Amino acid sequence: MGLVVLAFLIRLLGVGWGLPNALHNQSYHPDELVIWSYAQQIEPSKLHFDPGFYNYGTLYLTLLRVASDVVSAYSGAEGWAAIGQMHLAGRLLSVLFGAGTVWFVFQMLRRRTHLFGAALGAAALTLAPGHVVHSRFQTVDVTAGFFLAGALYFALELFRPLRSEDAPEGRIRSDLWLAVASGAFAGLSAGTKYTGILALLALFVALGFERRPGWLRLAGIGTLASLSVFVLVTPGALLNTGKFLTDVRFEMLHTSTGHGLVFAGYPSGFLVHAFNLAVGFGAVMAVMGAVGLAGAAWRRRGWALALLGFAAPYAVLIGRADVLFLRYTFPLMIVLAVGFGAFVGWAHQRRGYAMAWVALGILGVGGLDGAGARGTAVMTAWMMGADPRDEAALELEKATKGQPDERVGVPSDPWFYTVPLYPDTGLPRSVPFAKRDEARRAAVEPQVVQFVPEDPDQRFDWDVRLLTEIAPEYVVFSSFEWNDVGRLQGMTGLDPVVRLQVERAAAFRKELERRYKLERVYGWPTVPVHDLQYIRPTVWVWKRTS
């Protein structure tokens, strides 16, 4: 329980990162406003659970709507400030579910090894930087991971504990109860994020490993429980089947066709996710976790085979995709934390030279490789400190104060990554461009300029005419805008549309360096992982010299 409390407190630090303030009205996380908006379409008091949005299941959206209603009833805030408090309520849900996931990891290990191994395995997830950071976001991923961990836990409970004191006679739960519980949690996970349904694979392996009487019937009952719970928490699958299927197909197509420039030109998804795990979980702990699972599976430990029965197909699924966010690795982090704790527990029991592995495991949790406690401390400090976008905005406002003709140019449509020189920079792309552009044009001291042709639909990023025709005193952009086009320069075999964007960016950069000088860089160093850079993008400010 102490580790769960620690996990909760660690995730609570920095939970206010990027919320609306005096500089910007929208959250700095690009998905939070979208998710919140769809959650508001749900009305639990009227038994209306159809948000008209099914890229995800609706369980988290329903929980967010309930939390939002509580905030609305008691906060007294209005407008964007009220929405910010509702984001915070949704983030607190993620904090709770993130800490709860640690509890499930500990319990899975407590049945497999002794207290030290269980504690260190739970500590691995407690201090995994990627999991900690995302536990502070109002998004679905950590919540889905909690229910997934529950499904795995109940599946592994089908393997009877080795020590009677762990489960005295009369308290051992029946196979039927465990199959229903595992299936129900898989349904809850799928009702949050569809891939959670794969947790059933662990249940199937657990039931089939010892071929208990009626194991096929139990597998069917677990599956039925999963599907029933899924429909209960995502009733639109039946009540709005057309929209449900359309959005599910869109999500599947999205993961197989890429995410714009973000992952274009990347190597194999398996290599990318190995890097994501090294940064977000820790290379030392990930390797030890994989070895621990492989070793236990080699010795035909049913619990390890059950975990691998889920993890291997899931790893193939995300490794073959073209969208490669770090958050997709959270289910693997849960499994690796269990393998890591089992390996450390085994080494601790062997004593002798095996204690070197224990020492390495402790160093891994501490952050020997830059992850673990060390990585979490660094990223927490970033989230609790000033955001680079805010720092750049304050400096530019100071530099242009009293000079109403001073202009700051932006090379792309303002969004969450844009320095907030006016409050509505973060309006989502679903808002019509005319309305977003109206907010930009209203900015004064400094003016914010973007090259928009007579037909706004003909606009494009990195239009060199911003520099040659408007020639603002400053130009500012972030790593979200530059990193991908910069990375792809010189790369062959690019899609023609991608190549055109890269060539435009190269021409813009050439003209920028001719006319401007780099004035200031904010947010460096940062983490080279897209969905960790949310908390610390790099911002470049250039000043005109000619």
Side-chain angles (χ1 to χ4, degrees), residues 12-84:
L12 199 60
L13 296 174
V15 76
W17 161 86
L19 291 176
N21 60 21
L23 290 172
H24 57 98
N25 286 334
Q26 293 81 34
S27 164
Y28 274 151
H29 193 295
D31 298 332
E32 287 188 329
L33 184 57
V34 175
I35 291 172
W36 175 85
S37 298
Y38 282 112
Q40 302 318 295
Q41 306 306 311
I42 295 173
E43 298 180 87
S45 63
K46 298 180 181 180
L47 299 181
H48 177 75
F49 296 97
D50 179 10
F53 171 81
Y54 292 100
N55 292 37
Y56 308 119
T58 55
L59 177 56
Y60 181 79
L61 300 181
T62 303
L63 296 174
L64 178 58
R65 175 56 195 262
V66 172
S68 298
D69 286 346
V70 172
V71 169
S72 180
Y74 293 102
S75 75
E78 297 180 351
W80 288 110
I83 294 174

Side-chain angles (χ1 to χ4, degrees), residues 93-166:
L93 289 174
S94 295
V95 168
L96 287 168
F97 286 120
T101 307
V102 171
W103 184 86
F104 276 126
V105 169
F106 179 82
Q107 292 300 323
M108 281 187 272
L109 279 165
R110 192 69 185 95
R111 301 296 202 204
R112 321 271 90 82
T113 185
H114 55 71
L115 183 60
F116 181 80
L120 210 62
L125 191 64
T126 295
L127 296 167
H131 196 268
V132 170
V133 167
H134 279 264
S135 293
R136 298 165 180 156
F137 295 156
Q138 178 226 278
T139 51
V140 303
D141 303 277
V142 169
T143 300
F146 167 80
F147 292 119
L148 175 77
L152 298 178
Y153 164 72
F154 286 112
L156 265 57
E157 283 290 278
L158 287 161
F159 300 100
R160 297 305 186 217
L162 298 178
R163 299 192 296 275
S164 60
E165 63 268 20
D166 286 338

Side-chain angles (χ1 to χ4, degrees), residues 430-464:
S430 57
V431 174
F433 174 73
K435 184 174 181 179
R436 290 183 279 129
D437 200 46
E438 181 182 358
R440 176 189 64 78
R441 292 174 184 274
V444 293
E445 290 194 15
Q447 300 176 42
V448 179
V449 294
Q450 175 187 4
F451 189 86
V452 180
E454 186 174 344
D455 179 2
D457 291 340
Q458 298 300 313
R459 71 190 188 281
F460 53 83
D461 297 346
W462 305 107
D463 193 328
V464 76

Side-chain angles (χ1 to χ4, degrees), residues 512-532:
L512 180 71
E513 292 176 349
R514 190 174 76 84
R515 294 170 177 261
Y516 292 75
K517 68 174 181 178
L518 183 60
E519 179 83 356
R520 186 81 183 269
V521 179
Y522 300 88
W524 184 262
T526 188
V527 180
V529 174
H530 184 85
D531 48 341
L532 287 182

Side-chain angles (χ1 to χ4, degrees), residues 146-428:
F146 167 80
F147 292 119
L148 175 77
L152 298 178
Y153 164 72
F154 286 112
L156 265 57
E157 283 290 278
L158 287 161
F159 300 100
R160 297 305 186 217
L162 298 178
R163 299 192 296 275
S164 60
E165 63 268 20
D166 286 338
E169 196 66 33
R171 291 185 60 191
I172 295 179
R173 288 165 287 199
S174 71
D175 288 355
L176 175 62
W177 192 96
L178 292 172
V180 170
S182 181
F185 268 82
L188 291 170
S189 184
T192 308
K193 192 172 183 180
Y194 299 127
T195 49
I197 200 67
L198 292 177
L200 285 174
L201 296 174
L203 174 63
F204 298 157
V205 173
L207 287 169
F209 181 72
E210 294 179 343
R211 297 292 182 94
R212 291 191 178 93
W215 67 278
L216 281 174
R217 179 178 64 88
L218 291 174
I221 291 173
T223 302
L224 181 62
S226 179
L227 295 177
S228 299
V229 169
F230 172 76
V231 170
L232 180 66
V233 299
T234 306
L238 293 181
L239 301 178
N240 193 355
T241 305
K243 179 61 174 171
F244 171 78
L245 293 176
T246 296
D247 287 356
V248 171
R249 281 195 295 266
F250 170 82
E251 193 66 16
M252 293 174 64
L253 184 65
H254 175 225
T255 58
S256 63
T257 56
H259 193 72
L261 293 178
V262 175
F263 302 110
Y266 267 44
S268 164
F270 297 100
L271 293 177
V272 174
H273 282 310
F275 180 76
N276 285 338
L277 284 168
V279 173
F281 184 69
V284 170
M285 294 186 292
V287 171
M288 290 182 66
V291 171
L293 287 170
W298 180 261
R299 297 193 299 275
R300 292 190 57 77
R301 300 291 188 265
W303 63 267
L305 291 169
L307 289 179
L308 288 173
F310 156 73
Y314 181 79
V316 171
L317 177 69
I318 65 172
R320 289 176 59 84
D322 290 321
V323 179
L324 304 168
F325 290 116
L326 174 139
R327 55 184 178 264
Y328 294 173
T329 64
F330 291 163
L332 298 181
M333 290 185 188
I334 294 167
V335 172
L336 288 171
V338 176
F340 172 73
F343 186 13
V344 171
W346 168 84
H348 191 268
Q349 288 179 317
R350 290 291 298 269
R351 300 287 179 175
Y353 291 115
M355 290 299 290
W357 293 112
V358 176
L360 181 62
I362 293 172
L363 291 173
V365 172
L368 173 68
D369 49 12
R374 179 183 170 189
T376 292
V378 169
M379 295 184 202
T380 299
W382 289 346
M383 296 184 78
M384 295 179 70
D387 189 276
R389 287 158 286 198
D390 289 356
E391 291 181 302
L394 291 172
E395 287 297 319
L396 283 167
E397 288 178 354
K398 181 180 178 181
T400 58
K401 188 174 180 62
Q403 304 176 63
D405 294 332
E406 294 275 285
R407 299 162 301 172
V408 177
V410 293
S412 64
D413 288 1
W415 198 13
F416 71 96
Y417 45 65
T418 303
V419 171
L421 295 170
Y422 59 96
D424 286 328
T425 49
L427 285 173

